[in-house]
Every structure is written in structure tokens, then in C-alpha cells.
Amino acid sequence: MDALQCIGGLASALTIPGSLYLSALSLAAAWPANGAAGKSKRQPLKIVVLVPAHNESSGLLRTLQSLRADLSGDSGSQASTRIVVVADNCDDDTAALARDFGVTVLERFDAAQRGKGHALQYAFERIQNADWFIIIDADTDVEPGFLQAMRAHMGAEVDALQCRYGVRDPLSSQRASLGDVALGAWNVLRPRGRSALGLSAGILGNGFALSRRTLQHLPYSARSIVEDVEYHQMMVQAGLRVHWVDDAQVRGDMPEGRAQAAQQRARWEGGRLRLLREHAGPLMGALLRGQWRALDPLMDLCLLPLAWHLALLLLGLGLAGSLLQAVAVAGLVTLSLHVGLALLLIRAGRAHLRALLTVPGYLLWKLSLLASIWRNARPNAKWVRSARRQN
């Protein structure tokens, strides 16, 4: 066996756990989603919609208008639901814009502790009169009925919620359409599959909700540049579960321009790589002690982004020996079914299908990010906001 064949065989072998995990999640996600988790006896619930914002004056107004429109369309919740903007280390007019719109504003200034995790913790500690917090990014539209659907799932024994999270204006460009497909797999199919298997759906960073009881049991102390993934890892280890809300949807902006998209992608993938390095050992130890709930978060951290998974499968198909080539073929079939089901779940149109033709160029672009991803995997990596489109 020559060196190239060894590389191809290794590439195919590395995809086996991910392909098996994708198969399980895809099959589970094909079943109808669960209904509401159960209503609380406390009526009405006091809900705070938190909007963390760092220099978001260009797009915040659209987000607040989206939330207010949904709130006004659900008259039963108006008295018990309020919007709070957390203006975090802003040097623009984000806070003034939010106040002029008529919502509560918390301002935070701390140059040493920057990032969304710090902003959320600041708000959670200062807002006491709330049963639930719903977190919405400042570049997001909520679809009609969002608040009503989320509230319907806020059962007395429910720890946290996560809804569908897609791309705002997904037909505006091929990049946006391709991003919507990717989020359909990552942010719809996978958490839906986990929920069907009785697992914690996960936290996607936008459109999630935490109960006051959960925050009292497990304070929001996530500090990494992927604080949502980190906090979910902490939740699972503490025996808490995120319930999936399939009938609610948020849509967030894509980064503005190629450089900004590269910055966001490198930050996110580097942050997950860091968490894998830090959490894989403890999770493996928990599995060896018979704590099977550690299996899913370990598999989730080990699962590569679809582009890297596809790249390894193609490498195995082209270079590996016959046996591991068969593994690569099976993996490619699994991946195709996974993406196909995601397209169905997001009700994809022709623009989404055309965007899939750009995947080869996207793979080459991802290869160019390897060095940046590695830098963002360092423990001292800093959170930096990616530029968004101007509205």
C-alpha cells in the first residue's frame, strides 16, 4: 500500500463515526416532530426577550420591528412579555435607537470581558422578574407565531427550548441560499433528530430559551467564542435537556462579504475545535464510567462540518483501497440523503438547488481557512463581531 492509498484509507476511516451519527439523526428526523412539551400551570408566564447587541444600530430596528409585530399579533402575551436590548460595549447609537423604539435597554462596558456570553450573563443576573428568557440576535427576523409557539412549549418541567434557525433573505444570493441549506442540515434536521431520539436538541445561539429554574441550577458561565455550544455541553453534563420547537422559526443575517464570512466561519469552527480538545477527555471518561448521556455531546463535537466531511469522503473515494472506497461510497450516499432531507424540511426551492452547484468552489474556499481556523482554536482566541449587511 503506497502513501497516497494510506492517506485515502485514513480519510475514509475518519468519516465512519460521523456517517453513522448522520444516519441515526437523519432517520430520526424523518419522523413527525413532537408536539408542545406541556404548558405551565403559572399563567401568564413572565417572558423576557433578550437581544444582545454590539454596534448593531444599522440592523437592530428591523429586528425590534419583527419582534413587536409578532407580539402585537399575539394579544394574550403582551402584558407578560417584554423586550430588553443588552447594548454590550457599543460605541455607536445602538442603545439610543433601542430606547427611542420604546424597549428596555441594559448597557454594559467592559473592555476586558467581551463577547455574547458575558453580555447574556450580565442580563441574566440583573433581570429578576422573569420566568423565561428568549435570546434573539440583533440581526434576526422572527417568523409570525414565533412567540406563541415558544410559550406553548414552556412546560413547568422544561429546562430550555430551541427553535428552527435559518438564513434571513435566503434568496438574496447564492451564498445565502447555500447557507440556508447548511443551516437546514445543522439547525433543523440534526436537533429535530436528537429530539426524536429523546436527546437534548442543542443550543444554536439564536432562537433559544432558558428557564429561570435552569439558570439558577446552572448559571450562564460559558466564556468561549462558541458560548452556545459550550453552555449546552454544560447542560447535558448537569442532566438538563433542551426541547425542540419545530413550529417556530428565526432567520439571521449572513456575514457581509467574503472576508467577513471567512472570519465568522473560522471563529465558529475554531471554537468547536477548541471545545473538542477541552471536553473530549472528560466526556470519554464519563462514558467509561457508564454515563451514556455523554455519548451524544461527544459525537456532536466530533462531527465535522459537512464540507470537511465531504472532503474526506472524496479523498477516500479517490485514493483508498477497495474496502475503504466502499466505506466512502456509503458515506456519500448517507450525506446525500442527509442533505436531501434537510432540503425537504426547509421546503427548499430552485435557488437552493442551484446553490448546491457552487459546492466545489466552497470546498476550495474552506481549505483556504485552515490556518485561521487553527488560530481560533487557541484558548486565548478573542471574539470579534463579523460585519453584516446594511439595512
Side-chain angles (χ1 to χ4, degrees):
M1 181 181 294
D2 59 26
L4 289 178
Q5 197 171 22
C6 286
I7 292 172
L10 178 61
S12 284
L14 288 174
T15 65
I16 293 174
S19 293
L20 292 173
Y21 189 51
L22 289 180
S23 296
L25 294 180
S26 299
L27 289 172
W31 293 97
N34 295 329
K39 294 184 178 180
S40 170
K41 294 180 180 179
R42 297 175 295 170
Q43 295 293 336
L45 289 171
K46 297 173 183 175
I47 300 171
V48 169
V49 180
L50 273 183
V51 184
H54 171 67
N55 290 346
E56 299 282 0
S57 62
S58 63
L60 178 61
L61 184 60
R62 174 173 167 175
T63 296
L64 295 178
Q65 290 170 337
S66 173
L67 286 168
R68 180 166 287 179
D70 194 47
L71 188 58
S72 64
D74 182 21
S75 59
S77 70
Q78 290 188 50
S80 59
T81 303
R82 58 195 175 110
I83 302 169
V84 177
V85 171
V86 188
D88 185 60
N89 286 295
C90 294
D91 53 22
D92 65 355
D93 60 347
T94 292
L97 185 150
R99 287 194 185 95
D100 289 344
F101 192 80
V103 301
T104 302
V105 178
L106 293 178
E107 288 192 80
R108 174 181 176 272
F109 296 96
D110 189 335
Q113 296 184 323
R114 304 174 67 87
K116 185 176 174 182
H118 293 289
L120 290 178
Q121 184 188 24
Y122 182 86
F124 294 146
E125 291 175 348
R126 282 157 180 78
I127 301 173
Q128 299 300 319
N129 191 24
D131 300 313
W132 278 84
F133 295 92
I134 300 176
I135 290 78
I136 299 295
D137 282 350
D139 57 359
T140 300
D141 291 340
V142 302
E143 294 200 346
F146 165 80
L147 292 169
Q148 181 178 2
M150 294 292 280
R151 192 174 63 255
H153 286 257
M154 292 175 176
E157 301 303 319
V158 176
D159 303 315
L161 303 171
Q162 174 63 59
C163 77
R164 290 178 172 230
Y165 175 17
V167 173
R168 181 194 261 182
D169 302 326
L171 306 184
S172 61
S173 67
Q174 283 192 325
R175 178 181 296 163
S177 297
L178 186 61
D180 202 40
V181 174
L183 292 193
W186 197 275
N187 291 351
V188 179
L189 188 156
R190 298 183 193 187
R192 178 180 163 123
R194 292 190 190 99
S195 179
L197 291 171
L199 303 170
S200 182
I203 291 177
L204 306 175
N206 195 5
F208 69 99
L210 300 172
S211 71
R212 168 68 69 185
R213 176 176 55 83
T214 293
L215 289 165
Q216 290 172 339
H217 180 73
L218 184 68
Y220 201 91
S221 57
R223 294 289 178 269
S224 72
I225 55 179
V226 283
E227 89 294 326
D228 52 337
V229 181
E230 182 183 3
Y231 187 70
H232 183 245
Q233 292 282 327
M234 296 163 62
M235 286 187 66
V236 173
Q237 293 176 46
L240 302 173
R241 179 186 171 195
V242 180
H243 288 258
W244 176 242
V245 184
D246 198 56
D247 51 348
Q249 171 100 40
V250 298
R251 293 187 175 277
D253 261 345
M254 295 287 285
E256 180 185 77
R258 197 174 184 87
Q260 290 75 23
Q263 181 187 68
Q264 184 195 61
R265 183 53 42 185
R267 182 180 71 234
W268 186 80
E269 294 187 12
R272 283 184 60 89
L273 183 59
R274 173 188 167 186
L275 288 182
L276 174 62
R277 184 175 64 245
E278 295 176 350
H279 289 256
L283 288 171
M284 284 292 296
L287 278 177
L288 293 174
R289 294 191 297 272
Q291 298 176 16
W292 293 106
R293 69 188 182 198
L295 178 60
D296 181 64
L298 178 61
M299 292 294 291
D300 179 56
L301 282 180
C302 291
L303 184 60
L304 295 171
L306 289 183
W308 298 119
H309 193 74
L310 174 59
L312 288 177
L313 287 170
L314 293 175
L315 194 61
L317 182 66
L319 299 178
S322 56
L323 178 61
L324 288 174
Q325 277 185 329
V327 169
V329 170
L332 287 169
V333 171
T334 296
L335 186 57
S336 298
L337 293 174
H338 184 74
V339 173
L341 180 56
L343 291 169
L344 290 175
L345 290 176
I346 66 172
R347 299 180 178 88
R350 293 180 180 177
H352 292 89
L353 297 177
R354 287 195 297 269
L356 290 175
L357 298 176
T358 67
V359 167
Y362 181 74
L363 287 177
L364 293 175
W365 176 71
K366 287 292 289 288
L367 287 172
S368 71
L369 302 181
L370 279 172
S372 184
I373 290 171
W374 185 254
R375 286 194 298 271
N376 278 276
R378 297 176 300 183
N380 60 347
K382 301 297 183 182
W383 178 88
V384 179
R385 178 186 179 273
S386 300
R388 302 296 198 273
R389 292 179 302 158
Q390 303 296 311
N391 292 315

